[in-house]
Amino acid sequence: MALVSHYPQHLLGLRFPLRLRVTVRQGFVTLHNEIATRKLGSGDSFVVPAFLRFACDVMPGRGKPAVFSLALEQDEAEGLHGGGKRWSRALAQHIFQSPQGQWTAARLAALWQVTPHKARSRLFAEGEALLSLVREQRLAHALHTAAQADPDEDRGLAEVAAGSGFASVPAFCDACSDVAGVRPSLFLGGPGPAR
């Protein structure tokens, strides 16, 4: 399935734990980070490397919504060492696979078989913080799930938020605006105006 946007959207700070194929079916999508920009039109596709932070500008065409899909791809040769963030990328994969889990320093310490202090230190050394990574990956999960959903499916914000591990709709809405700068309406089916 795909995401549909009747209005321009500017998603900031996206990062997925695996490679992400962005395919534009209609409209225009521009992917960019501080180094490169890639413009995609109808029928174009591009694979964003795993754990690369990027922004995504979505622009509908004349009188038609933008329609684009997001698909995660596993690259066995890539391993978990991409970008020099071995620990944080591995944790991002765990969070993305189980976003409803209680991701605490104690749980992370048990996963890595170290003390909670050592677990946090590993993330800090890679420029990451546990709570920020959890919030970011839960939002990435919500975006990916929304892209896989049936467009006729009637989803509410409460269902989307709970399915991706957010404690409440306000927490989900805050993450949408704080992390990605996107309106929560992108996660819902139907052509209604963004709120």
Side-chain angles (χ1 to χ4, degrees):
M1 298 298 142
L3 291 169
V4 178
S5 180
H6 293 265
Y7 303 92
Q9 298 275 355
H10 305 286
L11 292 84
L12 308 170
L14 301 177
R15 188 165 57 163
F16 290 81
L18 299 173
R19 296 178 346 146
L20 181 75
R21 179 172 297 279
V22 179
T23 303
V24 179
R25 297 182 186 169
Q26 187 172 284
F28 304 93
V29 172
T30 302
L31 306 172
H32 54 91
N33 64 10
E34 63 276 353
I35 298 172
T37 298
R38 181 71 178 215
K39 295 182 180 184
L40 306 173
S42 297
D44 292 339
S45 179
F46 183 75
V47 177
V48 178
F51 217 53
L52 176 73
R53 192 177 305 281
F54 68 100
C56 178
D57 297 332
V58 180
M59 294 299 291
R62 291 184 179 175
K64 295 183 178 179
V67 180
F68 62 103
S69 64
L70 305 174
L72 292 176
E73 296 182 351
Q74 182 72 43
D75 183 3
E76 299 301 328
E78 194 171 283
L80 291 177
H81 305 290
K85 294 195 172 200
R86 172 183 174 207
W87 298 106
S88 53
R89 183 169 166 204
L91 176 58
Q93 285 188 358
H94 286 295
I95 296 166
F96 190 89
Q97 291 168 355
S98 180
Q100 296 171 334
Q102 295 297 318
W103 291 101
T104 63
R107 179 175 181 185
L108 183 56
L111 181 67
W112 289 345
Q113 298 181 357
V114 296
T115 65
H117 177 72
K118 180 68 172 178
R120 285 185 184 275
S121 295
R122 285 179 177 173
L123 292 177
F124 182 77
E126 294 181 354
E128 303 289 344
L130 177 60
L131 294 179
S132 295
L133 192 59
V134 169
R135 195 174 193 215
E136 167 194 287
Q137 289 306 303
R138 284 178 172 166
L139 187 61
H141 181 274
L143 186 60
H144 183 259
T145 300
Q148 309 310 308
D150 184 342
D152 296 327
E153 182 181 340
D154 186 23
R155 297 183 305 264
L157 281 180
E159 180 183 348
V160 173
S164 293
F166 289 96
S168 66
V169 171
F172 175 66
C173 292
D174 287 347
C176 286
S177 65
D178 295 347
V179 176
V182 67
R183 297 176 184 120
S185 60
L186 181 64
F187 297 86
L188 304 177
R195 302 230 188 274

